[in-house]
Amino acid sequence: MLALAYGALVVIGTLLLKLPVSRTTSLSWLDALFTSTSAVTVTGLAVADTGSQFTFFGQVVIMLLIQLGGLGLMTFAVLLLTALGVSVGLPQRVVLREELGQSSLHNLVQLAGLVLRVALIIEAAGAVLLAYPFTRDMGLWPGLWAAVFHSVSAFNNAGFALWPDSLVRYVGDPVVNLVIAAQFMVGGIGFIVIGDIWQKRNWRRLTLHSKLMLTGTALLVAWGWFIIATLEWTNPATLGGLSWGDKLLASFFQGVSPRTAGFNTIDINGLHDPTALVVILLMLVGGGSTSTAGGIKVTTFIVLVLTMIAFFKRRMALQIFGRTLGVESVFRVMALTAVSLLIVMTSIFVISISHDGAIFNLGFEVASAFGTVGLTRGTTGELDTLGRCIIMAVMFIGRVGPLTLGFLLATRAVPRVRYPEGQVFLG
Amino acid sequence: MLALAYGALVVIGTLLLKLPVSRTTSLSWLDALFTSTSAVTVTGLAVADTGSQFTFFGQVVIMLLIQLGGLGLMTFAVLLLTALGVSVGLPQRVVLREELGQSSLHNLVQLAGLVLRVALIIEAAGAVLLAYPFTRDMGLWPGLWAAVFHSVSAFNNAGFALWPDSLVRYVGDPVVNLVIAAQFMVGGIGFIVIGDIWQKRNWRRLTLHSKLMLTGTALLVAWGWFIIATLEWTNPATLGGLSWGDKLLASFFQGVSPRTAGFNTIDINGLHDPTALVVILLMLVGGGSTSTAGGIKVTTFIVLVLTMIAFFKRRMALQIFGRTLGVESVFRVMALTAVSLLIVMTSIFVISISHDGAIFNLGFEVASAFGTVGLTRGTTGELDTLGRCIIMAVMFIGRVGPLTLGFLLATRAVPRVRYPEGQVFLG
Ligand SMILES: [K+]
Ligand SMILES: [K+]
């Protein structure tokens, strides 16, 4: 159902973008479809330059697709989870009731309203702040429009920018860097966490999910920042030519952005290979559940890490912040991660059969699509029709897949036959 | 303890290979250490050409290191598992008792003897069969020595060959291809499976582990064969110039070899990228537990796949061949896979910081080392000291790691504190 709604939105977007009033040049059906998919899935990979190949009307269409695709899913996720908590026997039910205090359909509507209100307030505040640098550089009306567009794009982690090189021209601008980064970090941490913080305002009373998300995000951001700053510090293609302060700012921005935002202030194609490898891993992890982010999600990654730690401590139980995570979590995480790797690997494999470029850059592009990130080393533009179709499919799966899978698991079947337990040797 | 024994063997091997009597040219300490590590871990990655840079004495040393490293671990694995089954509270205990009928130390020694006898018989038979083509081409004594050396190398899945291009010159020779492939398939499936088949000789009475290993191996071989034949059929650098029959033979051989043997009859560096990607995955999976193989092992891979299937069937239980696999299996598989990916990714990351070549080929080399496979796209020879040291470490971990981890898990600690169960949103 979710997939159908998204598919319909993609089709409507394609038709609107194909209208002559939307574009300044010719645009093939495939490219219109690609752009619409990229906007609805808030990925940001582009085969047409948003700033020059689309008119103001076309850009408004893209912005609306981003808003509906990003917020729609976020609202839908919260509604779905809450609905499941009320009516279906999901184990999360108790948590959700505790966290959100929802127990009737009336509250559901209220909650959806809250999601939308918070989003619009943050987007409006972002636009006001961005208006200063953008009107200064572009004049009044174009600057205001750029402020609105990038604010929506940032909060929804869409990564669409009106400049062909994303935000490279604002690499040293603290307002642009900090406002946009703050927006996509809030948008990417997940509404459940925001709501929890808003309600409790006290670390110790936060839910386990919020604590994990905040700690995990802080660690991933610190790690990304550190790696990019260290490895790229003297790279003339990226940080090399910048001042000390700009190096720190740009490496911070680029360390946060791969976790689903997709904006860049330095040339992604100029990154050293090991840096690009770390960016790929960050893109695959993505952001928070019930957020505008893609990827396997931060909590999934944390459970993976906790499993490793438990393994080395010779324990079967995952313990964190005074709570135990059941084996069901381990089961879900393994299935999710395995399915994700399968999708990513299969996509790289199929595209590489007909694509001639470096397979590492192709892997970067597929990871970017799966995490709905939108960072690119240039390969997406070079892909043939098959390659573009697969990237579109991966963006779509990266966006609606995990939630759909979550729904599948929520309505779990109990096996009718119980077999005796078997044992195999592993490792 | 296992790691210490292996470390000692590596050191002894290094000293012997460094002796002037072992080599025809100068050989640095690092290269001697690398060769010794590669032989003891039965990997087969080489920085010195075995056939030309080592004397007959040096080659005998390498063969003995392979025999001790390969068979030693295999024997040790069986003994360890059986010992655990007798004295420690390992869940596998029941199975092991059932399978091997072991219950006293006397039987342990008997079992170790059986492992050795079976190995020596297969190696001797292989040498006799290989003697025909090798004496025909090289003369009597060199041919006999080549037959013995390659037979030991094949059964132990070591992948060491006396020719710099491995077995490329025998690409169309059915005797060499089939004998060597048969040897490394038997050596790579695991002694537990061989013993089980020997005892039962009836599919339905085989243990779950044997059934999984045989089915999984058959599927992986068929898949590797199919992919390589399909993608490389017209590639002039690999299968392109061969006859129909040779294409089928070579693609079969190359489809089986990545699962840990490491011999090649076609140029690995000439493989198309998608083919190389599949080879990487096969190398990471590796062979069977308690075998001469590395990697995460076939059964681990099967449990991964079963978890995905169960997930899509909305079930929490893994069912196969009328048996249920407990959550403990899922837990172990996830920890093993996550740790393996962490080791592989970290190694690629660290080496790529100072290495300039294509990162994809570097990933190929690291996967080859982790699976103790030994196939190469040429990167290992180009690595600096740091890179070689990391490859050595990965070979060592790939060999002794899983068993050591298995031992860790067998002596699991029960957590003293039990926390209440928490819930997080995943995916
Ligand atoms: K994005
Ligand atoms: K090998």
Side-chain angles (χ1 to χ4, degrees):
Chain A
M1 196 204 81
L2 179 66
L4 279 182
Y6 266 72
L9 192 56
V10 167
V11 171
I12 295 170
T14 309
L15 295 174
L16 286 174
L17 291 176
K18 188 68 181 157
L19 292 177
V21 68
S22 294
R23 52 203 166 83
T24 58
T25 57
S26 70
L27 185 77
S28 71
W29 279 105
L30 184 69
D31 289 354
L33 180 64
F34 193 97
T35 308
S36 177
T37 308
S38 183
V40 169
T41 61
V42 294
T43 304
L45 287 172
V47 289
D49 177 37
T50 316
S52 66
Q53 287 185 255
F54 291 101
T55 60
F56 174 70
F57 178 81
Q59 291 169 10
V60 170
V61 168
I62 290 176
M63 189 189 76
L64 291 176
L65 292 175
I66 290 170
Q67 186 76 289
L68 288 170
L71 274 188
L73 193 83
M74 199 157 143
T75 317
F76 182 86
V78 175
L79 293 184
L80 174 74
L81 288 174
T82 319
L84 290 175
V86 176
S87 57
V88 188
L90 188 76
Q92 274 87 344
R93 183 176 52 178
V94 188
V95 192
L96 261 170
R97 241 194 335 234
E98 274 178 10
E99 273 184 23
L100 305 168
Q102 300 309 310
S103 57
S104 72
L105 255 165
H106 172 253
N107 285 17
L108 276 185
V109 177
Q110 210 177 31
L111 188 71
L114 186 65
V115 172
L116 290 175
R117 262 203 313 281
V118 169
L120 291 177
I121 289 169
I122 294 177
E123 287 177 353
V128 169
L129 292 169
L130 289 175
Y132 167 66
F134 289 165
T135 52
R136 179 195 62 200
D137 298 344
M138 307 169 72
L140 185 62
W141 293 111
L144 284 179
W145 168 237
V148 171
F149 183 91
H150 290 96
S151 181
V152 170
S153 181
F155 180 74
N156 290 293
N157 277 280
F160 274 90
L162 294 177
W163 300 284
D165 56 357
S166 191
L167 301 174
V168 170
R169 67 193 63 199
Y170 288 106
V171 62
D173 189 310
V175 175
V176 173
N177 276 271
L178 297 179
V179 169
I180 289 191
Q183 282 188 292
F184 64 60
M185 284 172 83
V186 172
I189 206 158
F191 194 80
I192 286 180
V193 177
I194 299 173
D196 194 31
I197 297 174
W198 188 263
Q199 241 179 322
K200 313 269 184 69
R201 298 164 197 235
N202 180 328
W203 173 260
R204 291 190 53 200
R205 288 174 55 217
L206 289 182
T207 59
L208 176 63
H209 181 80
S210 302
K211 287 179 184 170
L212 288 181
M213 272 307 301
L214 292 172
T215 323
T217 302
L219 290 175
L220 285 172
V221 167
W223 186 59
W225 189 0
F226 173 77
I227 292 285
I228 291 177
T230 315
L231 294 181
E232 300 294 325
W233 197 263
T234 58
N235 182 353
T238 55
L239 299 179
L242 305 177
S243 72
W244 245 80
D246 287 1
K247 281 180 181 184
L248 286 177
L249 189 64
S251 53
F252 167 74
F253 190 87
Q254 217 51 62
V256 188
S257 178
R259 296 204 23 267
T260 210
F263 293 101
N264 57 292
T265 56
I266 54 179
D267 179 19
I268 297 299
N269 206 15
L271 292 175
H272 287 312
D273 283 350
T275 321
L277 186 67
V278 169
V279 171
I280 289 179
L281 296 180
L282 287 172
M283 294 196 296
L284 291 176
V285 170
S289 300
T290 70
S291 81
T292 51
I296 63 167
K297 305 293 182 304
V298 173
T299 40
T300 308
F301 177 70
I302 292 175
V303 173
L304 262 177
V305 173
L306 290 178
T307 310
M308 281 195 271
I309 294 173
F311 191 82
F312 283 110
K313 283 191 172 172
R314 310 177 200 184
R315 283 181 183 163
M316 276 284 288
L318 309 183
Q319 298 178 333
I320 184 93
F321 291 130
R323 286 282 182 283
T324 302
L325 290 174
V327 284
E328 196 190 6
S329 304
V330 175
F331 194 92
R332 286 192 67 173
V333 163
M334 190 166 112
L336 245 165
T337 311
V339 171
S340 303
L341 285 178
L342 182 73
I343 292 169
V344 169
M345 285 297 166
T346 309
S347 308
I348 296 174
F349 173 73
V350 174
I351 301 180
S352 73
I353 292 176
S354 63
H355 176 72
D356 269 342
I359 194 168
F360 178 66
N361 288 343
L362 183 57
F364 190 95
E365 232 66 12
V366 171
S368 179
F370 181 76
T372 68
V373 178
L375 294 176
T376 178
R377 279 165 87 86
T379 303
T380 295
E382 299 165 3
L383 292 178
D384 56 13
T385 304
L386 173 72
R388 289 180 187 206
C389 289
I390 290 174
I391 292 284
M392 276 193 274
V394 173
M395 292 194 285
F396 201 80
I397 292 170
R399 190 75 186 121
V400 302
L403 255 193
T404 312
L405 285 182
F407 188 76
L408 276 179
L409 252 204
T411 55
R412 189 178 316 115
V414 177
R416 261 160 298 172
V417 191
R418 276 195 72 83
Y419 294 112
E421 192 150 320
Q423 292 284 352
V424 289
F425 300 101
L426 306 163
Chain B
M1 198 203 79
L2 179 65
L4 278 182
Y6 266 72
L9 192 56
V10 167
V11 171
I12 295 170
T14 308
L15 295 174
L16 288 173
L17 291 176
K18 187 70 180 156
L19 293 177
V21 69
S22 294
R23 51 203 165 83
T24 58
T25 57
S26 70
L27 185 77
S28 70
W29 279 104
L30 184 68
D31 288 354
L33 180 63
F34 193 97
T35 308
S36 178
T37 308
S38 184
V40 170
T41 61
V42 294
T43 303
L45 287 172
V47 290
D49 178 37
T50 316
S52 66
Q53 287 185 254
F54 291 101
T55 59
F56 174 69
F57 178 80
Q59 292 170 9
V60 171
V61 169
I62 290 176
M63 189 190 76
L64 290 177
L65 292 176
I66 290 170
Q67 187 76 289
L68 289 169
L71 273 189
L73 193 83
M74 199 155 140
T75 318
F76 183 87
V78 175
L79 293 184
L80 174 73
L81 288 173
T82 319
L84 290 174
V86 175
S87 58
V88 190
L90 189 76
Q92 272 86 345
R93 184 177 51 179
V94 188
V95 192
L96 261 171
R97 244 198 329 240
E98 274 178 12
E99 272 184 24
L100 305 168
Q102 300 311 309
S103 56
S104 71
L105 254 166
H106 171 253
N107 286 15
L108 276 185
V109 177
Q110 210 176 31
L111 189 72
L114 186 65
V115 172
L116 291 175
R117 261 202 314 281
V118 169
L120 290 177
I121 289 170
I122 294 177
E123 287 176 353
V128 169
L129 292 169
L130 290 175
Y132 167 65
F134 289 164
T135 52
R136 180 194 61 201
D137 298 345
M138 306 169 73
L140 184 63
W141 294 112
L144 285 180
W145 168 238
V148 171
F149 183 91
H150 289 96
S151 182
V152 170
S153 182
F155 179 74
N156 290 292
N157 277 279
F160 274 90
L162 294 177
W163 300 283
D165 57 356
S166 192
L167 301 174
V168 169
R169 67 192 63 198
Y170 289 105
V171 62
D173 189 309
V175 175
V176 173
N177 276 270
L178 296 179
V179 169
I180 288 191
Q183 281 188 291
F184 63 61
M185 283 171 84
V186 171
I189 207 158
F191 194 80
I192 286 181
V193 178
I194 300 172
D196 195 31
I197 297 174
W198 189 263
Q199 242 180 320
K200 315 269 186 68
R201 296 161 198 238
N202 180 328
W203 172 261
R204 290 190 54 200
R205 288 173 55 217
L206 289 182
T207 59
L208 176 63
H209 181 80
S210 302
K211 287 181 183 167
L212 287 181
M213 272 308 300
L214 292 171
T215 324
T217 301
L219 290 175
L220 286 173
V221 167
W223 186 59
W225 189 0
F226 173 77
I227 292 285
I228 291 177
T230 316
L231 294 182
E232 301 293 325
W233 198 263
T234 58
N235 182 354
T238 54
L239 300 179
L242 305 177
S243 72
W244 244 81
D246 286 2
K247 282 181 180 183
L248 285 177
L249 188 63
S251 53
F252 166 74
F253 190 88
Q254 218 49 66
V256 187
S257 178
R259 296 203 23 266
T260 210
F263 293 101
N264 57 290
T265 56
I266 53 179
D267 179 19
I268 298 298
N269 206 14
L271 292 175
H272 287 311
D273 283 350
T275 320
L277 187 66
V278 169
V279 171
I280 289 179
L281 296 179
L282 287 172
M283 294 197 295
L284 291 176
V285 170
S289 300
T290 70
S291 82
T292 53
I296 61 168
K297 305 293 182 304
V298 173
T299 39
T300 309
F301 177 71
I302 292 176
V303 174
L304 261 178
V305 174
L306 290 179
T307 310
M308 280 195 273
I309 294 173
F311 191 83
F312 282 111
K313 282 189 171 173
R314 310 179 200 182
R315 283 180 183 163
M316 276 284 289
L318 309 183
Q319 300 179 331
I320 184 92
F321 292 130
R323 286 283 181 283
T324 302
L325 290 174
V327 284
E328 195 190 7
S329 304
V330 176
F331 194 92
R332 287 191 68 172
V333 163
M334 190 166 111
L336 246 165
T337 312
V339 171
S340 304
L341 285 178
L342 181 72
I343 291 169
V344 169
M345 284 298 166
T346 309
S347 308
I348 297 174
F349 173 74
V350 174
I351 301 180
S352 72
I353 292 175
S354 63
H355 176 73
D356 269 343
I359 192 167
F360 178 66
N361 288 344
L362 183 56
F364 190 96
E365 231 68 10
V366 171
S368 179
F370 181 77
T372 67
V373 178
L375 294 176
T376 177
R377 280 165 86 86
T379 303
T380 296
E382 301 165 3
L383 292 178
D384 57 12
T385 305
L386 173 72
R388 288 179 187 205
C389 289
I390 290 175
I391 293 284
M392 276 193 275
V394 174
M395 292 194 285
F396 202 81
I397 293 171
R399 191 75 187 120
V400 302
L403 255 193
T404 312
L405 285 182
F407 187 76
L408 276 179
L409 253 205
T411 55
R412 191 177 315 115
V414 177
R416 262 160 297 172
V417 192
R418 276 197 71 85
Y419 295 112
E421 193 149 319
Q423 293 284 352
V424 289
F425 300 102
L426 306 161

